[in-house]
Every structure is written in C-alpha cells, then in structure tokens.
Amino acid sequence: MHIGIFATPDDAADEAAKIIIDAHTRPGFVLGVATGSTPLPLYTRLRKAHADGKSDLSGAQAFALDEYVGIAADHPERYRNVLLTELVKDGGTGLTDEALHTPNALTGDPYKAAEEYDASIREAGGVDIQILGIGADGHIGFNEPGGSLTSRTNVGALTEQTRRDNARFFDDDIDKVPTQCVTQGLGTIMEARQLVLLATGAAKADAVRELVEGGISARWPATIMQMHTNAIVLVDEPAAAKLELADYYKAQWKALHQA
Ligand code: PGA
C-alpha cells in the first residue's frame, strides 16, 4: 500500500481528484464511487474540474459500492439519489444518469440484485479506480467485521456502530437508519485495478492504524487491501495519528512523488 499523509482533508481530496482526472480519459473508464461524508470534497473537485473544462466523465461508467435495502425510492439518503446529486445533476461531473449503476435494492429479491450487480461490474470490464471510505469499525463498502474476506456482492446487516454513525443522515434517529444493505463484497472490491481510500478525522485513527499496520483479519475488513497491488491510502494528520511508521510513509511518499 502507498500511504499519503496530508495536513488537511482538502489536501487529501486534491490528491484523489488528481489521480482520477489523470486516469479517466481512457475510453470506457469505469469509476467505483463511494458515499458517506469523506468523498464529498473529492466530488466537489470533480464537478469544478468539469465546469472548468478540465475533466469530463461523460464517457465513463460509475458503480456504487453499496445501497440500503428497503429505503424509499425518493429518500434523499438513498445512495443512488446521493450520487445523482453529487455527480450527475446540473452537469455535475459529466457522468450520465444511465451510466451511474447502483444495486437495485428497493424491490424484489435483494440477493438476486446482488448477484446481478456483481455480473454487471464484470460485464463493464471491471472497475478501473475504486474510491473508498472506511468505517470506524474498519468496514469498506458495507462489509462489516466478521464477514468473508473474499465475498462477492451480497446482502449484509449494518452494525449498531455503523447505524449510529449514519444516524446523522436520518434526523439523528438510529431507528430510521436501514438495517440491511446490498454491498460489493471484499472480493469484488479487490478486483478493481486501483483502490483509492480516503480517511479523515480522529474518529478514523484506529481503523487507519489497523488498515495500514494491523494483521489481515475479518475483524477489520479493510485490512484485505494490504493484499492489493495498487492501493493508495490518503489520510489527514488526525486520521494518521496512530500510525507507528508515519514518518517513514511521509518520506516514502515524498521520494516517490519527486521521482
Ligand atoms: P464517512 O463514512 O465517510 O461518512 O465517515 C465512511 C464509511 O462508512 O465507509
């Protein structure tokens, strides 16, 4: 893994935007997109770059990591709606509504939806760059502790901690947070050609320490990223505060970026 430690969340978002803008001109580019608060500054940058004529995702496809099961179609926190707002609406990043793929978790059989979603990622040729956040409990996507490290897209239950963390999007009422989701599995996520994980703030310091320096374990699902050949972890100082080898990662980042 390649660790970038930045003074502020904005600096980390600048770096993530640069990685995507430099890569996305490949025909048929496929971007994996994440929800949550952390990637929002990145999406702001992608919209600005589009408005300035420096980036255009109109030829790209995007696949969301996950979706709540049973949320109302028009709920603003339905991840499809969040991503339409962030990436598509009013010109957004250039990405079109039809090119934004999210698990169809509203109706019918979520298990079938999960299987179909996995197949649709494969049919698109796989994800080129997967943007990731990380939960305080070490989840990526909604892959909570204790699951398979090689899972495919599947139906999962959210932990109490995740539902508490996400209550801020649901009138601070944990009872309004859905209990189930369809999520890309860890095996699915690991097939992306590049992973770019963003983590900011002190609340992520334990998860970042485990991700970078812990043993690979289903207790901290994100640790599977240590097995990826092209994974970049972009963090701010508070999120990096518990990294034992922070000075080394900084020196390594500097050396590689001056080369
Ligand atoms: P956050 O969520 O960016 O809102 O902290 C990250 C996650 O749960 O993956």
Side-chain angles (χ1 to χ4, degrees):
M1 269 190 305
H2 199 40
I3 326 295
I5 302 174
F6 297 87
T8 68
D10 278 345
D11 295 332
D14 282 343
E15 181 65 25
K18 185 172 167 300
I19 292 168
I20 291 164
I21 291 166
D22 286 352
H24 82 282
T25 46
R26 187 181 85 70
F29 179 73
V30 179
L31 183 63
V33 288
T35 48
S37 309
T38 313
L40 297 180
L42 162 62
Y43 298 151
T44 304
R45 282 158 178 73
L46 293 180
R47 289 195 302 273
K48 172 143 191 351
H50 183 242
D52 293 348
K54 293 180 181 149
S55 165
D56 183 11
L57 290 172
S58 60
Q61 296 200 66
F63 283 85
L65 277 173
D66 43 26
E67 180 62 278
Y68 292 118
V69 169
I71 195 166
D74 61 351
H75 196 294
E77 288 305 323
R78 179 188 172 200
Y79 284 161
R80 179 165 193 88
N81 296 336
V82 169
L83 291 166
L84 284 170
T85 303
E86 289 298 319
L87 303 172
V88 175
K89 223 179 72 188
D90 302 328
T93 59
L95 186 75
T96 63
D97 195 330
E98 307 73 59
L100 172 65
H101 306 272
T102 54
N104 177 16
L106 293 184
T107 53
D109 179 353
Y111 292 89
K112 187 158 172 273
E115 221 172 277
E116 287 171 356
Y117 195 66
D118 218 80
S120 65
I121 295 173
R122 225 174 282 127
E123 275 157 31
V127 170
D128 289 301
I129 298 180
Q130 176 65 59
I131 302 162
L132 295 163
I134 186 169
D137 64 0
H139 70 224
I140 51 175
F142 270 135
N143 293 282
E144 300 285 28
S148 159
L149 292 173
T150 57
S151 56
R152 308 305 311 177
T153 301
N154 62 91
V155 181
L158 308 190
T159 60
E160 171 92 11
Q161 157 118 41
T162 297
R163 293 181 68 230
R164 221 180 304 121
D165 289 346
N166 287 8
R168 68 190 194 280
F169 299 119
F170 292 86
D171 308 326
D172 283 322
D173 182 354
I174 188 171
D175 292 332
K176 290 187 182 167
V177 183
T179 56
Q180 278 197 316
C181 61
V182 172
T183 180
Q184 283 191 37
L186 293 173
T188 314
I189 292 169
M190 286 288 287
E191 283 172 2
R193 286 179 268 281
Q194 183 174 30
L195 304 178
V196 177
L197 183 141
L198 281 162
T200 54
K204 300 292 172 67
D206 286 328
V208 167
R209 182 197 61 223
E210 297 297 330
L211 161 65
V212 177
E213 296 177 341
I216 297 173
S217 159
R219 171 65 187 86
W220 295 92
T223 55
I224 192 63
M225 286 176 61
Q226 294 175 22
M227 297 292 289
H228 200 285
T229 51
N230 192 357
I232 302 182
V233 174
L234 305 173
V235 296
D236 67 354
E237 290 282 358
K242 294 187 178 173
L243 290 174
E244 202 182 331
L245 302 182
D247 289 343
Y248 167 65
Y249 307 136
K250 286 180 188 173
Q252 189 192 43
W253 183 271
K254 203 167 154 196
L256 289 173
H257 285 76
Q258 279 171 353

